[in-house]
């Protein structure tokens, strides 16, 4: 094809979206089966929804609504039903997404907070890397608008010691005032979800500044602040009972005085990795390989990086001669790590609940010898996992290691990007995107012999997920014609698979379709799932480049437990998780229970 001919064809494609001539043969065959004389009536469409899409409750009114939505497209040619063009456009439409647009919050929200995975941010105030980026309320606002429910603030005295700044301590990050962050939290807390926002405070303050913080928090949040008193809770309240409330979580001042260790700098011998900037992004760490490697150097108590990141340094603690009682009364979720090793840290107190923090290396090592103890601890208490300090580029870790042990707060650098963050975005699309997901029952129950779920035990296959990738469209609308290749259309392929427990995690890919803005793959894949409750379907599109690294063409991630079966339109997102205007795939999902 000459360059001139290519440009003419490309401009034509940019002007007109996908038409029935590009419909895969299976779509055409389905239309023939459920239509008559080239037209699909409301009755026939309802039958298609029930029999092919798995929408058992679809009514005739639902089908008629779909027909009505497509009247403006002018594909009907005086017919009262859908023709093939309109049917194909419906299948590619927003209302035919893999997750039901009408499902909303559908899980039980009346259990204690410890029974939920909670959408959690780490160093929520940073605009970029962990060492030199600006601190601001802007990333806090963005996180809240996405549905994040846990915001972390690191509190330090300002240069004159008379006010409180938020910054990443002992780095070159520029501070932002605490008061500004608190006001932004109040203003945007319930933009995406009515369920509670938890503010975790890393406290590096003297008692007089703690008293000032108590005044700021009380004045800013007023009646929406949840304050049960200075004593630790006996059981956590439910998300339902805490709707539109703000919760403060940190170590009570008294516990800082008891702590004797200086917060250590994490050093696992690895430098920050800039691979997140690559088109593919850094691959999600393989849990099985990681755990096996750690097992060879078994150090269950943590070794390096063993200090809670909320510990104060010696200078801060020395200045704490008295408590700030007003401050202590505001702390609803008490954090803290008891003296001693892991056995002591993971003890379950029947009289009170608390929050424990572990870094990702700590959890990886603890999982080797204390896996069931962690699960038992998280049935009543809250476990927060945070990225290791050597992630200077604000990258993230595999969140599944936290979730498979029941950790509620798997804290992520939301200002970063990369595959691990895509998993986090995907997980919290569940339950209406409200930021709280009920943990699977197997993580909450206790067996007849007082036994709990063991994350290290291999389980039989419970489900098989079948995924067929038909075709894709929209790149010619959202990208410049020279974005992927200077002189020819792109060569797209799809990479898809499961992120889950180690036994379920795998990735596969289609062949590359050469020189096409509207590639048709028609390939089917099967994934055997032993723990489908924690499985996430990963989907990525890349453009094959023989001479350089492959180009990124879009990604998305969905919880398998909420996937709608049938043929669905799958919208793709960029590397930061922002949805493209037009780029999407047409895929079919089928779930077989074993």
């Amino acid at each position: 094809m000459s360059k001139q001919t290519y440009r003419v064809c490309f401009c034509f494609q940019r002007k007109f979206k996908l038409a029935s001539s590009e419909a895969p043969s299976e779509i055409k065959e389905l239309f023939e089966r459920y239509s008559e004389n080239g037209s699909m009536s409301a009755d026939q469409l309802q039958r298609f929804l029930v029999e092919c899409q798995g929408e058992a409750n679809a009514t005739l009114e639902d089908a008629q609504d779909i027909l009505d939505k497509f009247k403006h497209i002018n594909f009907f040619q005086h017919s009262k039903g859908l023709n093939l063009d309109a049917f194909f456009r419906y299948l590619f439409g927003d209302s035919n997404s893999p997750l039901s647009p009408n499902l909303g919050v559908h899980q039980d929200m009346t259990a204690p907070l410890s029974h939920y995975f909670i959408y959690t941010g780490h160093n929520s105030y940073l605009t970029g890397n962990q060492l030199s980026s600006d601190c601001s309320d802007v990333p806090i606002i963005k996180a809240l608008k996405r549905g994040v429910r846990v915001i972390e603030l690191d509190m330090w005295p300002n240069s004159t010691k008379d006010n409180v700044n938020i910054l990443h301590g002992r780095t070159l990050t520029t501070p932002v005032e605490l008061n500004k962050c608190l006001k932004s939290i109040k203003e945007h807390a319930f933009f995406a979800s009515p369920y509670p926002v938890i503010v975790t405070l890393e406290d590096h303050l003297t008692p007089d500044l703690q008293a000032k913080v108590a005044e700021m928090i009380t004045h800013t949040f007023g009646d929406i602040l949840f304050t049960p008193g200075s004593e630790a809770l006996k059981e956590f309240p439910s998300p339902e009972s805490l709707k539109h409330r703000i919760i403060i979580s940190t170590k009570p001042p008294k516990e800082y005085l008891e702590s004797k260790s200086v917060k250590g700098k994490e050093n696992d011998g690895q430098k920050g990795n800039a691979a997140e900037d690559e088109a593919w992004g850094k691959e999600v760490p393989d849990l099985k390989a990681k755990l096996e490697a750690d097992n060879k150097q078994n150090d269950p108590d943590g070794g390096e990086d063993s200090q809670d990141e909320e510990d104060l340094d010696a200078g801060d603690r020395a200045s704490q001669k008295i408590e700030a009682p007003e401050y202590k009364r505001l702390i609803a979720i008490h954090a803290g790590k008891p003296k001693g090793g892991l056995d002591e840290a993971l003890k379950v107190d029947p009289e009170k609940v608390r929050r424990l923090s572990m870094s990702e290396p700590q959890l990886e090592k603890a999982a080797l010898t204390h896996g069931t103890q962690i699960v038992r601890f998280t049935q009543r208490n809250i476990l927060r996992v945070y990225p290791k300090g050597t992630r200077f580029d604000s990258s993230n870790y595999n969140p599944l290691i936290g979730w498979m042990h029941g950790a509620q707060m798997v804290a992520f650098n939301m200002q970063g990007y990369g595959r691990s963050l895509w998993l986090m975005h995907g997980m919290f699309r569940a339950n209406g995107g409200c930021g709280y997901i009920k943990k699977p029952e197997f993580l909450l129950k206790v067996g007849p012999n007082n036994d709990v779920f063991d994350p290290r035990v291999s389980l039989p296959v419970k489900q098989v997920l079948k995924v067929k990738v038909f075709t894709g469209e929209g790149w010619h609308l959202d990208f410049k014609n020279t974005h992927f290749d200077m002189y020819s259309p792109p060569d797209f392929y799809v990479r898809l698979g499961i992120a889950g427990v180690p036994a379920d995690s795998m990735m596969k890919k289609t062949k590359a379709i050469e020189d096409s803005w509207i590639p048709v793959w028609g390939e089917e894949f099967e994934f055997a799932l032993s723990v489908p409750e924690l499985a996430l379907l990963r989907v990525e599109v890349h453009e094959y480049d023989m001479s350089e690294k492959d180009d990124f063409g879009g990604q998305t991630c969905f919880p398998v437990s909420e996937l709608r079966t049938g043929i669905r339109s799958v919208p793709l997102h960029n590397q930061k998780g922002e949805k493209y205007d037009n780029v999407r795939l047409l895929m079919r999902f089928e779930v077989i229970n074993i």
Side-chain angles (χ1 to χ4, degrees):
M1 181 186 295
S2 70
K3 294 180 188 178
Q4 184 175 1
T5 305
Y6 162 68
R7 290 194 183 101
V8 170
C9 292
F10 179 78
C11 290
F12 180 82
Q13 284 181 307
R14 287 186 69 92
K15 187 175 180 181
F16 299 97
K17 296 188 82 172
L18 201 61
S20 60
S21 58
E22 283 90 19
S25 58
E26 188 171 326
I27 304 300
K28 293 177 181 177
E29 290 168 6
L30 279 171
F31 180 77
E32 288 296 321
R33 190 190 314 167
Y34 289 94
S35 67
E36 189 174 353
N37 298 323
S39 177
M40 184 183 289
S41 67
D43 286 334
Q44 292 165 326
L45 179 57
Q46 181 198 12
R47 194 158 59 88
F48 168 77
L49 294 175
V50 173
E51 295 176 2
C52 292
Q53 300 294 82
E55 299 178 31
N57 298 321
T59 65
L60 191 60
E61 289 73 21
D62 294 331
Q64 188 60 52
D65 285 344
I66 293 170
L67 264 64
D68 292 342
K69 287 177 183 176
F70 283 83
K71 283 181 178 178
H72 68 282
I73 296 181
N74 198 29
F75 282 144
F76 289 83
Q77 300 169 344
H78 308 295
S79 167
K80 292 184 179 180
L82 297 175
N83 68 4
L84 178 57
D85 280 313
F87 177 66
F88 195 28
R89 290 316 310 164
Y90 153 67
L91 289 178
F92 253 117
D94 290 335
S95 63
N96 190 38
S97 63
L99 304 184
S100 173
N102 304 316
L103 194 56
V105 177
H106 57 277
Q107 297 176 354
D108 174 22
M109 303 300 285
T110 62
L113 287 176
S114 55
H115 288 207
Y116 298 84
F117 297 131
I118 310 173
Y119 207 174
T120 301
H122 174 257
N123 290 351
S124 306
Y125 48 86
L126 288 178
T127 57
N129 69 66
Q130 303 285 308
L131 298 179
S132 60
S133 66
D134 291 337
C135 301
S136 169
D137 63 332
V138 172
I140 294 172
I141 295 169
K142 285 182 179 177
L144 291 169
K145 286 186 173 182
R146 185 178 278 278
V148 172
R149 298 289 85 192
V150 183
I151 299 296
E152 183 188 30
L153 302 177
D154 292 10
M155 304 189 301
W156 293 82
N158 66 355
S159 57
T160 54
K161 309 292 184 184
D162 62 353
N163 209 337
V164 179
N165 280 338
I166 302 299
L167 74 155
H168 196 199
R170 303 183 182 92
T171 67
L172 299 177
T173 55
T174 56
V176 59
E177 289 187 356
L178 169 63
N179 213 29
K180 187 174 184 180
C181 295
L182 296 178
K183 288 178 179 177
S184 292
I185 291 172
K186 181 184 180 183
E187 184 177 350
H188 299 278
F190 308 109
F191 176 89
S193 168
Y195 292 98
V197 168
I198 302 169
V199 182
T200 61
L201 301 175
E202 185 177 325
D203 181 350
H204 302 271
L205 303 176
T206 53
D208 58 322
L209 286 179
Q210 287 176 344
K212 189 161 189 170
V213 168
E215 185 180 343
M216 286 184 201
I217 289 174
T218 303
H219 176 75
T220 302
F221 296 131
D223 292 341
I224 68 171
L225 188 66
F226 175 67
T227 51
S230 58
E231 297 303 315
L233 294 165
K234 289 191 175 182
E235 184 179 65
F236 290 116
S238 70
E240 188 66 31
S241 68
L242 293 169
K243 273 185 171 179
H244 297 103
R245 304 297 293 272
I246 303 290
I247 304 169
I248 303 299
S249 177
T250 187
K251 288 184 179 180
K254 181 177 68 173
E255 298 193 29
Y256 286 127
L257 288 168
E258 292 173 352
S259 181
K260 295 180 180 179
S261 302
V262 177
K263 180 181 177 182
K265 292 184 179 180
E266 300 166 9
N267 180 13
D268 62 357
Q270 298 181 21
K271 295 181 180 179
N273 195 326
E276 295 292 340
D277 294 328
E278 295 180 4
W280 274 61
K282 189 177 180 182
E283 186 50 89
V284 177
D286 182 279
L287 285 182
K288 186 176 181 180
K290 181 74 173 169
L291 291 174
E292 287 176 351
D294 287 342
N295 200 23
K296 292 177 181 177
Q297 45 183 2
N298 191 353
D299 180 13
D301 287 327
E304 106 277 306
D305 187 34
S306 62
Q307 291 303 312
D308 187 330
E309 67 171 12
E310 291 168 352
D311 282 344
L312 290 173
D313 61 40
D316 290 326
R317 280 195 302 277
S319 66
Q320 292 212 21
K321 304 295 185 185
I322 58 171
E323 295 182 14
E326 318 88 339
Y327 178 75
K328 187 176 180 180
R329 276 195 294 269
L330 298 181
I331 303 170
I333 299 177
H334 288 210
K337 185 178 293 183
K339 296 177 183 178
L342 266 178
D343 288 321
E344 194 67 30
L346 293 171
K347 272 188 179 177
V348 177
D349 188 334
E351 296 301 317
K352 63 181 180 180
V353 290
R354 59 190 168 92
R355 172 171 70 82
L356 174 68
S357 286
M358 286 186 180
S359 68
E360 55 169 298
Q362 281 180 315
L363 178 61
E364 288 167 358
K365 292 172 181 177
L368 298 173
T369 53
H370 292 68
T372 55
Q373 283 177 261
I374 299 170
V375 172
R376 194 182 301 277
F377 177 85
T378 58
Q379 290 180 340
R380 262 182 60 78
N381 301 281
I382 289 175
L383 176 61
R384 173 177 169 269
V385 185
Y386 59 93
K388 60 187 177 183
T390 49
R391 293 190 179 276
F392 304 130
D393 57 354
S394 293
S395 61
N396 289 295
Y397 50 101
N398 189 336
L400 268 304
I401 189 160
W403 292 331
M404 63 192 275
H405 286 85
Q408 297 86 352
M409 297 183 179
V410 177
F412 260 38
N413 292 310
M414 297 295 172
Q415 74 279 15
Y417 60 93
R419 283 192 171 91
S420 294
L421 188 56
W422 303 344
L423 300 186
M424 183 66 67
H425 292 164
M427 179 67 157
F428 284 96
R429 289 190 174 107
N431 202 25
C434 74
Y436 286 82
I437 298 173
K438 190 76 156 50
K439 293 200 287 189
E441 193 60 33
F442 65 79
L443 286 171
L444 299 171
K445 70 179 181 181
V446 178
N449 299 317
N450 200 32
D451 53 314
V452 297
F453 173 71
D454 186 347
R456 294 177 65 90
V457 171
S458 295
L459 298 172
V461 172
K462 290 174 64 175
Q463 278 184 0
V464 173
L465 173 66
K466 290 186 175 182
V467 180
K468 186 163 186 176
V469 186
F470 288 113
T471 184
E473 69 149 339
W475 291 280
H476 60 284
L477 297 170
D478 290 344
F479 291 84
K480 294 180 180 179
N481 63 337
T482 56
H483 178 86
F484 297 104
D485 284 304
M486 188 64 67
Y487 301 116
S488 63
D491 308 325
F492 288 125
Y493 64 94
V494 181
R495 189 170 178 261
L496 72 164
I498 297 295
V501 298
D504 296 349
S505 300
M506 67 183 70
M507 291 298 288
K508 303 179 180 181
K509 68 177 182 178
T510 69
K511 59 183 177 293
I513 302 300
E514 295 183 2
D515 297 334
S516 178
W517 285 99
I518 306 174
V520 178
W521 295 280
E523 295 188 47
E524 189 169 30
F525 303 89
E526 289 190 8
F527 302 97
L529 305 176
S530 60
V531 187
E533 300 91 338
L534 294 180
L536 299 168
L537 176 65
R538 298 173 54 188
V539 181
E540 301 174 13
V541 176
H542 299 281
E543 198 272 334
Y544 176 72
D545 194 315
M546 186 180 300
S547 59
E548 299 178 6
K549 66 183 180 185
D550 293 349
D551 292 313
F552 177 83
Q555 60 83 21
T556 193
C557 189
F558 296 105
V560 169
S561 62
E562 293 203 4
L563 272 180
R564 294 200 289 175
T565 57
I567 299 168
R568 300 297 174 185
S569 173
V570 179
L572 298 185
H573 302 70
N574 65 18
Q575 290 162 303
K576 293 186 178 181
E578 300 157 342
K579 190 163 77 169
Y580 291 121
D581 292 333
N582 299 285
V583 177
R584 58 192 60 220
L585 301 176
L586 192 64
M587 304 175 71
R588 186 184 67 210
F589 306 108
E590 181 183 357
V591 175
I592 301 170
N593 293 314
I594 305 300

